Amino acid sequence: MGKILMKGNEAIGEAAIRAGCLNYFAYPITPQSEVAEYLSRRMPEVGGVFLQGESEVAVSYMLFGASACGARVFTTSSSPGISLMSEGISYIAGAQCPAVFVNIMRGGPGLGGILPSQADYFQATKGGGHGDYRLLVMAPASVQEAVEMVMLAFPLAEKYRNPVMLLGDGLIGQMMEPVEFPDHLKSEPTNKDEWATNGMDTRGSNKRNLVKTLFLDAGKLNEHNLMLKAKYDRMKREEIRYELYNIESDYKALIVSYGTMSRVCKTAIDNMKDEGLEVGMVRPQTLFPFPENAVYEAASKESCKVVVSIEMSMGQMVEDVERCVKGKLPVKWYGKCGGDVPTPEEVVEAVKSFL
Amino acid sequence: MEIDLDGIVIIVGNYGSGKTEVCINLAVNRKMAGLEVRIADLDLVNPYFRTREAKTRLAELGIEVVVPPKQYMQADLPILSPVVAGMIRQPSQLTLLDMGGNDVGVNVLAALGDALSGRKIHVLQVVNPFRPFTDTAEGCLKIRNEIEMASRLSISGIIGNANLIDETTVEDIYTGYDFVSGLSKESGLPLKFVTVAAELMPEIDIKHFTCPVLLIERQLVPPWKRSISLASKMK
Amino acid sequence: MGKTFAKPEALSDQHTHYCPGCTHGIIHRLVAEVIDELGIKGRTVGIAPVGCAVLAYNYFILDFQEAAHGRAPAMATGIKRVRPDLIVFTYQGDGDLASIGMGEIIHAANRGEKFTTIFVNNAVYGMTGGQMAPTTMPGQRTTTSPFGRNVKEVGMPIKMAELLSALETPGYITRQSVIKPKYIVRAKKAVKKAFQYQLEGRCFSLVEVISTCPTNWGLTPVQAVKWAEETMLPYYKLGEFKRPD
Amino acid sequence: MAYKHYIDSNRCKGCGLCVAVCPKNVLQLSEEINTKSYFPVYQARPEDCIFCATCCIMCPDVAITITGEIEDRPKQPA
């Protein structure tokens, strides 16, 4: 059997194993607890590490410690849990350790609800934790894409020595789709002897390694931050990923949407096409770095009159869309938050109202 | 071949095996056959994609769905409606209990033990060989064992639910049928029926099967897709 | 009865930043001596805390990680789970371990994580400038208890060694001190035992060390050891609280 | 058998803990500052030293070392 039917949450767990990551630390939270449940059965089968930590705070540091000694690590959580992990994420980014975090977003603020949401866009792309750091953020729109992004996340985290975050909504975690695990995405272990605290004997040298984030000297901290910035700038040059939909048509409106929301938008775009109304879409697959040029170019089309950011949040990505459109066109927002995923009909109605 | 089921039917299986979809469609099938049908959503485990999602549509067909109180409908809480014990004591012609996945999902059956004792019940295990952990007979039997331990009930039959949702091919249906037939032989459990999605039905040779076939019209679909209207079937 | 005495190899030449008479230096030396004696320098990873020992990594010639406040046991857990062959120790103060990191230490101990914790208890927050710690003595003045620790408002000082010993999971838990030479000799034996238990893969081990902070206590180093002896030791009893066997 | 008691005056922070624990009252703080502006300890009465290493054990800064043979040596004259 080639394909297998999996829940997004299970597929994410399996994808990490297939990518060559056998170390998972986590704390249960709906709607992603199936990842932990799945891996509590699977990790022993493959000789990996599964540990349920006492809190998301602790989990983020288990990742930090393990990553800092050279292991490939990942965790999964949902919005309130990611808030707690944000402290550790800041340290991991500051110490330049690779790690993969998956956020299966639920509604907020506070406990919010357990239904799908995209309200952690700011948290993922603009911070969450303290200090000048960025995460490489990818947003899958299908279970298969979640698999591929998880498998891609490990080499990217190692390439940049930086945490990578997968931002999925509750639907991605909960829905079932057939998936395949592409063999070519399996990562080989990378040599971390230069920096990892894996024991001097492991490296056969007397040079000790130190993983730290403290810089008491202002000049040195500035230098460190400039070096981090250079990495984030390099991500902007090399890691932007996006998908275009119905972009060859003479569209009157351009939708920018990501994750499962973009699938609702695709149905809406198909329906509008049937009615004779052309609408294009840019779907960012990386939220940081954001596909700035793609949005700008798509918004520059002669026929296009309006750009609409459609998201399951109260208008977070719209700020990036506005930034990219650079005032060329009016930028509107449409969204719903609280778990009620907008229907294709509601999207059609919203787009029409802006025209 | 008709599906021959009445009384109390408890639908169990591993997590994500398709219990809820089977339950909803089985309810509609039996309702069309003229039976009085009730469903209780006992999935206290998974907060997404539960029978309660299809409650309104089923109600339109005259199928009663017992779900947790409205204010807790989307809560992340294991709430067991007291109505459930009542409906087991006074079952309709067909009373379907849609359980949560794995052994964890049937723990609640042990709690309903008093209500269930002495009644004629069917406990049917839904099997989709395209799911992890049930792609081998060994895996299915392990889950059977775990469910029986947790529920303190014996599984009495198998439902073959081989599918890859939208990507299911005719070949997959036949492969799945062979798998559950083999499982039936190995376990000694009768194969009660297999499922086939409505859109595949025209391509299926019904003579291929020696058991009844349940037509599946998917109800639990993501927001960008339309479910097939159950009501239209009643015409 | 003479002895030779020299700086252990695992200790660097760097002069420490600690105040005159601060006993951190003694504890560093004991850990380094034990690492030398066990021949584990090449596979040991230390974890520095937030607190006065935040720069501990400068004083050891070992691989080192630096934790956030209180999180060292979680980091140590991460390392030991993925690399059980490495020898891991956390070096934590009382604010770090007994206040902000209480959750992490309890759970690491309860899971029986096979690393060693050196817990330096000097009854005060040193690094941030002498604030009250969970281990501050009743009536002790600090910058946030200017009228002395009022136990009616903030409770009694936490006895970590006893608290951790209450866990059913096997472990090695001891309280030692470095305020007198005879205590130092015993403390070293305890540190060695703690690392040996780890080497044997037996259990979690923790050595609480009653220590001084002359600067924040407002005492000379010699007065400070006297105060610790008279005030702390009657409350924080020295000894082994738990053994895995 | 030659033992040598050596104080690295520039490592010493003049805390005086060694002075307090020396069983033979050998040590004393200097009146002159070291490179770090501390008043370091010195052996005021070296002839009384029994090389017991108590000062080394108490020193927080590893400023005192004793070199020599490990084997027992004749007892110091009383």
Side-chain angles (χ1 to χ4, degrees), chain A residues 23 25 49-55 57-69 71-73 87 91 196-203 206-216, chain C residues 39-45 50 54-69 71 73-79 81-83 85-86 100 103-105 107-108 111 113 127:
Chain A
N23 303 301
F25 301 85
V49 172
F50 169 87
L51 183 64
Q52 179 173 326
E54 65 269 32
S55 71
V57 177
V59 162
S60 64
Y61 288 94
M62 289 173 186
L63 253 65
F64 187 13
S67 171
C69 74
R72 191 173 276 163
V73 292
E87 182 194 274
Y91 280 78
T197 57
N198 50 3
M200 289 185 283
D201 285 350
T202 313
R203 304 187 292 274
N206 231 350
K207 182 193 148 276
R208 77 194 196 113
N209 282 339
L210 180 57
V211 174
K212 69 177 185 103
T213 55
L214 180 69
F215 293 87
L216 291 173
Chain C
I40 52 174
K41 195 176 134 196
R43 58 180 177 122
T44 298
V45 181
V50 171
V54 67
L55 296 173
Y57 50 76
N58 284 334
Y59 312 131
F60 290 96
I61 305 176
L62 298 171
D63 274 1
F64 242 87
Q65 299 183 6
E66 176 198 76
H69 207 196
R71 316 294 179 225
M75 292 181 74
T77 298
I79 303 172
R81 291 286 172 143
V82 302
R83 284 289 305 273
D85 56 315
L86 293 175
I100 197 167
E104 281 78 4
I105 193 65
H107 285 279
R111 286 190 301 262
E113 299 294 347
M127 180 202 216

Side-chain angles (χ1 to χ4, degrees), chain B:
Chain B
M1 224 179 301
E2 273 246 352
I3 295 171
D4 178 28
L5 273 176
D6 57 10
I8 298 170
V9 177
I10 303 175
I11 305 290
V12 301
N14 74 312
Y15 180 73
S17 53
K19 294 175 295 299
T20 298
E21 204 70 72
V22 165
C23 220
I24 293 171
N25 284 278
L26 179 61
V28 174
N29 175 293
R30 299 285 74 207
K31 180 76 187 173
M32 284 167 69
L35 267 65
E36 181 202 343
V37 181
R38 279 198 287 181
I39 305 184
D41 177 359
L42 292 191
D43 187 350
L44 309 183
V45 177
N46 175 15
Y48 283 62
F49 298 114
R50 297 185 278 202
T51 318
R52 56 197 77 163
E53 318 284 325
K55 187 184 178 185
T56 324
R57 276 166 271 152
L58 290 167
E60 282 165 11
L61 300 181
I63 298 168
E64 189 192 339
V65 184
V66 175
V67 296
K70 193 169 189 301
Q71 67 268 35
Y72 301 123
M73 195 97 106
Q74 277 151 353
D76 192 8
L77 296 168
I79 292 168
L80 176 60
S81 171
V83 184
V84 175
M87 68 188 267
I88 292 170
R89 288 213 167 83
Q90 293 168 329
S92 54
Q93 286 172 302
L94 178 66
T95 301
L96 282 164
L97 304 189
D98 180 18
M99 306 308 300
N102 294 355
D103 47 345
V104 187
V106 296
N107 275 335
V108 61
L109 283 175
L112 290 169
D114 287 345
L116 287 167
S117 76
R119 306 209 167 255
K120 185 175 168 267
I121 55 171
H122 309 270
V123 184
L124 305 183
Q125 180 181 357
V126 178
V127 170
N128 179 356
F130 296 103
R131 287 281 296 150
F133 304 119
T134 50
D135 51 352
T136 61
E138 192 193 355
C140 297
L141 295 174
K142 183 166 176 280
I143 290 200
R144 171 194 178 182
N145 199 27
E146 288 166 358
I147 288 175
E148 289 184 338
M149 297 274 278
S151 65
R152 298 184 201 160
L153 295 172
S154 298
I155 287 173
S156 54
I158 296 170
I159 298 170
N161 187 39
N163 77 91
L164 286 165
I165 307 187
D166 290 349
E167 296 183 28
T168 318
T169 62
V170 172
E171 202 48 50
D172 293 335
I173 296 288
Y174 293 151
T175 310
Y177 171 71
D178 292 343
F179 179 89
V180 287
S181 302
L183 180 64
S184 170
K185 268 195 205 95
E186 194 171 332
S187 63
L189 294 172
L191 179 57
K192 287 289 180 184
F193 57 87
V194 293
T195 63
V196 175
E199 58 273 21
L200 272 184
M201 206 55 190
E203 300 166 55
I204 293 283
D205 176 11
I206 202 85
K207 291 196 288 291
H208 193 97
F209 311 110
T210 56
C211 66
V213 173
L214 176 70
L215 198 71
I216 297 282
E217 301 189 319
R218 283 199 78 214
Q219 295 304 304
L220 306 177
V221 296
W224 53 88
K225 280 189 196 152
R226 282 217 166 282
S227 54
I228 300 170
S229 168
L230 287 169
S232 68
K233 280 190 61 174
M234 293 304 279
K235 284 169 195 161

Side-chain angles (χ1 to χ4, degrees), chain C residues 115-137:
Chain C
F115 65 84
T116 300
T117 292
I118 307 296
F119 167 43
V120 181
N121 179 0
N122 62 5
V124 76
Y125 277 72
M127 180 202 216
T128 43
Q131 292 84 8
M132 186 179 69
T135 52
T136 293
M137 297 304 293

Side-chain angles (χ1 to χ4, degrees), chain A residues 72-125:
Chain A
R72 191 173 276 163
V73 292
F74 94 115
T75 189
T76 59
S77 189
S78 180
S79 314
I82 297 289
S83 293
L84 286 171
M85 288 182 182
S86 295
E87 182 194 274
I89 292 174
S90 163
Y91 280 78
I92 294 169
Q96 299 195 79
C97 289
V100 173
F101 292 82
V102 178
N103 180 1
I104 299 298
M105 290 181 281
R106 54 189 259 177
L111 273 181
I114 55 165
L115 292 173
S117 160
Q118 295 182 320
D120 301 343
Y121 180 90
F122 282 154
Q123 185 194 50
T125 63

